[in-house]
Amino acid sequence: MLKTFVFKFGGASIKDVNSIKNLSKILYNRLRNHTVIVISAMGKTTNALEGILEKKFNKEDYSSNITILENYHLEICMGLFGENHPIHAIVKNYFLQLQRDLELPLSKDNYDLYYDSIISYGELVATRIVQEYLCLEKIYCIWKDAREIIVTNSDYRFAKVDWNATAAKIKKSLVPLLEKFPVVTQGFIGKDKVGNTTTLGREGSDFTAAIIASSLHSASVTIWKDVEGVLNADPKRFPNTIKFDELDYHEAAELTYYGASVIHPKTIKPLANLSIPLYVKSFIDPSSPGTKIHHVKHENKTPCIVVKDEQILVSFKVTDFTFIHEGHIHQIYSELEKLKLRVNLLQTSAISISLVIDKQVFKLEKLIDSLKQDFEIRYNESLQLITVKNHNPEIMENLMKNKEILMEQVTRSTFQIVTKSN
Ligand code: ASP
Ligand code: MG
């Protein structure tokens, strides 16, 4: 089997001219032939596209938003390629197509399908620009549309991968390319069996890297980030963070489950199953070792703090003078399952069930609609879920200081609170 490597670069690593030049330097020094380079959308493009979609949905004028986004990409092209390069026409063409797609009618019923068709432009245009630039810098590589290799079901916005079909496509149409050249492709996007574009959930490019690596049985995956590796807390929120030199797959997976945004939660499992090491490295300081995620025998005792924003606390109270029983929990969970909503924290009492979920468009509304007959439902939005793994009294006290705590849960290893964001 071909010995392959997968590199993944996220939005921050290609956000402007200098970042892309830096990326090409990183690749120039390390690129081996059989490498897949997975790239997501530039900078905050995905958020900008979500903004355009929201305006479209609310029947507001979004034309200036498109112009801003297009100019952002064209200016980067100008900085990388100068004036006379076919990339300008290619980028303009993508934006024309985007505009055309946005002329189709959008409603609540087709929102998720529509979302995927629009949001994927960020990745498509970014990968074209980067691939052209790498070639200009004599790092010859091929551009591949990820939708030709990542096969998913039709759960738009949260599509599930069809692993067998994907592995077959990768074998058939990626391996022959990789035998000759490195390949640049998009993270986050795929295609379902009826031919519609799908996405794997926000920040899903890491997961794409893992899917490809697992299908190829790659030698390693490297995710290039703006931090020095996996830290025990987000350095933007907490001082004195500690970087892990290595971390066990389980430990890393658990941290991502609680919301550690350094790696997408689904990334670890496919790699762990095949013992493919995952390196998290800094694109700012590429020669520093970063973090290696693999099978580690000794247990980690370092406290880790993970903060998840935009949380909603919903409580369901029984109204018929009975107590909470399995039937109630089952009923609520089936609705959550239908809506593909994950419970981040759960607490039950004699007469109520409280749970914490992520904020997602329309979903709270739908959840309430489906359950309001049987429960009295209340909710609080814009909350923070803070999880501490390997907690100690000092950390707990510091975290709770001056905060309004709406929910609290402590186990031997994990401490979690839900608070109002400040
Ligand atoms: N561009 C997508 C997002 O921002 C996917 C990714 O960055 O991994 O969510
Ligand atoms: Mg991104």
Side-chain angles (χ1 to χ4, degrees):
M1 197 177 258
L2 204 63
K3 186 174 184 188
T4 57
F5 301 88
V6 179
F7 281 0
K8 184 260 167 171
F9 291 92
S13 65
I14 49 165
K15 68 176 194 301
D16 53 26
V17 171
N18 285 335
S19 319
I20 297 172
K21 287 187 173 168
N22 178 54
L23 174 150
S24 106
K25 253 183 244 142
I26 290 176
L27 290 179
Y28 197 86
N29 295 329
R30 297 160 222 273
L31 198 60
R32 286 172 265 191
N33 252 352
H34 314 309
T35 303
V36 185
I37 304 154
V38 175
I39 290 177
S40 66
M42 291 180 166
K44 300 269 173 248
T45 298
T46 307
N47 291 352
L49 288 166
E50 283 188 345
I52 289 171
L53 208 61
E54 203 179 311
K55 283 201 162 173
K56 159 87 190 172
F57 186 77
N58 295 326
K59 307 210 160 40
E60 292 164 32
D61 179 23
Y62 53 82
S63 54
S64 63
N65 299 63
I66 295 192
T67 311
I68 292 168
L69 196 59
E70 181 172 2
N71 287 343
Y72 163 66
H73 285 84
L74 287 172
E75 270 162 36
I76 288 180
C77 291
M78 190 62 103
L80 292 172
F81 302 90
E83 217 168 312
N84 295 315
H85 191 281
I87 191 68
H88 296 284
I90 294 170
V91 171
K92 281 181 192 156
N93 203 25
Y94 272 118
F95 278 90
L96 266 177
Q97 280 178 44
L98 168 67
Q99 227 145 5
R100 225 170 287 152
D101 283 359
L102 280 162
E103 279 158 22
L104 299 168
L106 168 65
S107 72
K108 239 184 198 176
D109 298 326
N110 71 349
Y111 194 90
D112 290 350
L113 166 69
Y114 203 103
Y115 176 100
D116 284 355
S117 73
I118 298 300
I119 296 296
S120 52
Y121 278 98
E123 268 65 21
L124 290 168
V125 69
T127 46
R128 278 301 274 123
I129 295 172
V130 173
Q131 183 253 348
E132 282 289 343
Y133 182 67
L134 291 174
C135 290
L136 190 74
E137 291 297 294
K138 306 210 164 37
I139 305 171
Y140 297 107
C141 51
I142 298 173
W143 182 87
K144 181 78 183 164
D145 190 327
R147 294 171 296 185
E148 289 165 18
I149 49 178
I150 306 291
V151 186
T152 71
N153 72 359
S154 302
D155 289 348
Y156 303 109
R157 299 187 69 188
F158 300 95
K160 289 204 184 69
V161 178
D162 181 331
W163 291 89
N164 289 334
T166 298
K169 294 250 182 194
I170 285 181
K171 195 168 164 208
K172 190 163 165 247
S173 73
L174 184 64
V175 171
L177 301 178
L178 272 179
E179 278 167 357
K180 301 192 191 83
F181 289 105
V183 174
V184 172
T185 192
Q186 307 80 44
F188 179 53
I189 70 173
K191 193 161 79 175
D192 66 7
K193 303 231 164 73
V194 286
N196 290 320
T197 300
T198 55
T199 64
L200 307 174
R202 287 300 308 264
E203 308 302 326
S205 296
D206 296 348
F207 185 36
T208 304
I211 298 165
I212 294 174
S214 127
S215 300
L216 290 169
H217 288 74
S218 295
S220 69
V221 174
T222 308
I223 296 183
W224 296 89
K225 301 283 301 183
D226 57 357
V227 285
E228 44 172 340
V230 180
L231 309 176
N232 71 328
D234 181 350
K236 291 182 194 114
R237 300 179 198 256
F238 299 96
N240 311 323
T241 51
I242 298 164
K243 189 212 72 168
F244 295 107
D245 294 332
E246 58 174 2
L247 208 55
D248 184 70
Y249 289 121
H250 286 111
E251 190 87 25
E254 200 181 341
L255 294 180
T256 64
Y257 176 86
Y258 293 131
S261 59
V262 62
I263 321 161
H264 186 274
K266 288 184 179 163
T267 311
I268 310 285
K269 189 177 163 217
L271 301 180
N273 282 343
L274 295 172
S275 302
I276 299 171
L278 170 63
Y279 296 92
V280 179
K281 280 171 72 80
S282 159
F283 60 75
I284 300 158
D285 184 11
S287 56
S288 73
T291 301
K292 179 179 183 182
I293 299 168
H294 60 143
H295 293 294
V296 181
K297 295 237 160 56
H298 51 262
E299 205 186 330
N300 166 51
K301 294 265 188 325
T302 314
C304 299
I305 311 175
V306 182
V307 181
K308 221 167 157 44
D309 288 314
E310 290 293 354
Q311 299 294 291
I312 306 175
L313 172 63
V314 200
S315 54
F316 302 84
K317 204 166 143 195
V318 281
T319 48
D320 59 359
F321 300 100
T322 59
F323 296 119
I324 288 291
H325 56 71
E326 295 71 14
H328 294 126
I329 300 180
H330 180 75
Q331 187 185 3
I332 294 170
Y333 265 72
S334 332
E335 289 307 322
L336 290 164
E337 157 107 61
K338 270 187 223 150
L339 292 168
K340 312 232 170 337
L341 270 170
R342 197 189 80 174
V343 177
N344 297 326
L345 195 64
L346 166 75
Q347 220 163 59
T348 58
S349 73
I351 53 162
S352 76
I353 296 176
S354 300
L355 38 92
V356 177
I357 52 176
D358 294 332
K359 179 180 176 163
Q360 278 175 33
V361 273
F362 315 132
K363 293 209 176 162
L364 178 64
E365 208 178 307
K366 287 184 185 163
L367 183 70
I368 293 173
D369 267 354
S370 62
L371 292 164
K372 65 180 179 212
Q373 302 286 2
D374 301 312
F375 300 93
E376 189 186 308
I377 303 171
R378 291 181 177 203
Y379 64 90
N380 275 290
E381 290 182 285
S382 304
L383 305 178
Q384 254 179 0
L385 169 63
I386 307 178
T387 304
V388 186
K389 175 104 200 289
N390 307 325
H391 54 83
N392 61 42
E394 190 193 328
I395 291 184
M396 287 162 68
E397 199 192 310
N398 271 334
L399 278 176
M400 296 207 282
K401 217 182 276 166
N402 308 324
K403 282 207 181 94
E404 189 182 331
I405 314 273
L406 287 89
M407 196 159 139
E408 188 181 323
Q409 218 168 73
V410 193
T411 68
R412 230 178 310 165
S413 69
T414 314
F415 163 67
Q416 294 187 289
I417 48 174
V418 179
T419 75
K420 293 230 163 102
S421 326
N422 31 11

